Amino acid sequence: LSVLHHYSKYIRCDADYETVMSRVAGSFRRNVRRQTKKLNELGAVEYRFVSAAQDLDAAFDYFLQAEASSWKGGTGTGSAILLNPGKVEFYRTLMHEFSARNACSINLILVDGVCIASQFCLLAGDTLYLLKIGYSEEYRAMGPGNVLLNELLQRCCADPNVGKLSFITGANWNDSWAPAQQDVYENHIFN
């Protein structure tokens, strides 16, 4: 028995950044540029794309803090990784296992040294998977998640090893990026 479970949305990184972004609505592109400008007005903005094994542990700490500062934190749904020691170890193990083949990256935006947005990504084949994202609610108006995703997309389009940037799920917020989608099925095999 095969049942459609959900849609997995992704951005094809099969062309240069400008061509890929031309698929996205002009109003959304302008909004991301405006958010980037507002963010840059806050202070010293630093983007970190960390994949070197020796630097991932420090980046992982930043990632956990940023992810827990959103609606996922203790005052929200309580689903933040940091609130569950078992999940922390699971993601730490993924990070170490994938970093051994240079296939894990943690991406961050820091403003005046404070991490306000983060992504935990794994590369499998030619697809970079956005496994977890997080951002500080305090900076929500600046759209730090979109700004960081835009920076990541530029890097993916420039990297010949990345053919797709996958959201994994089919959340509605993904639609602003004009993604393609593929069906994900749940399969049941009976004796």
Side-chain angles (χ1 to χ4, degrees):
L1 175 65
S2 189
V3 178
L4 179 64
H5 190 264
H6 68 275
Y7 298 103
S8 176
K9 296 179 182 175
Y10 62 92
I11 301 171
R12 292 183 326 240
C13 302
D14 55 352
D16 64 87
Y17 169 76
E18 293 301 326
T19 302
V20 170
M21 283 302 284
S22 71
R23 302 171 189 152
V24 175
S27 59
F28 183 72
R29 292 193 311 266
R30 286 188 296 279
N31 191 45
V32 171
R33 283 193 301 269
R34 183 184 53 76
Q35 290 170 328
T36 303
K37 184 179 177 196
K38 284 175 67 175
L39 196 61
N40 286 328
E41 292 169 354
L42 290 178
V45 176
E46 179 185 358
Y47 297 92
R48 290 187 190 168
F49 294 85
V50 180
S51 59
Q54 68 272 15
D55 300 328
L56 280 170
D57 283 316
F60 186 63
D61 291 338
Y62 277 119
F63 161 76
L64 290 173
Q65 292 297 323
E67 198 240 0
S69 70
S70 71
W71 54 269
K72 299 174 188 179
T75 59
T77 62
S79 62
I81 295 168
L82 187 60
L83 302 176
N84 183 323
K87 282 185 181 179
V88 171
E89 284 312 305
F90 173 76
Y91 279 92
R92 191 179 307 278
T93 299
L94 278 177
M95 179 181 70
H96 289 146
E97 292 292 324
F98 276 78
S99 70
R101 46 184 198 272
N102 200 29
C104 178
S105 66
I106 295 177
N107 311 318
L108 312 166
I109 296 179
L110 288 88
V111 175
D112 294 331
V114 176
C115 184
I116 66 164
S118 61
Q119 302 165 333
F120 187 102
C121 303
L122 298 177
L123 182 66
D126 74 341
T127 303
L128 185 65
Y129 293 92
L130 273 169
L131 220 56
K132 279 288 190 181
I133 60 172
Y135 63 88
S136 172
E137 287 288 331
E138 181 181 344
Y139 295 90
R140 182 183 188 122
M142 282 73 174
N146 282 335
V147 172
L148 185 56
L149 185 55
N150 188 55
E151 291 292 322
L152 177 61
L153 183 57
Q154 289 179 54
R155 295 172 74 87
C156 288
C157 289
D159 187 340
N161 297 315
V162 179
K164 291 192 299 191
L165 175 59
S166 175
F167 294 110
I168 300 172
T169 64
N172 290 338
W173 69 266
N174 304 155
D175 294 337
S176 298
W177 295 92
Q181 70 180 30
Q182 64 187 49
D183 299 342
V184 177
Y185 288 89
E186 185 175 303
N187 296 302
H188 302 268
I189 302 170
F190 301 95
N191 290 341

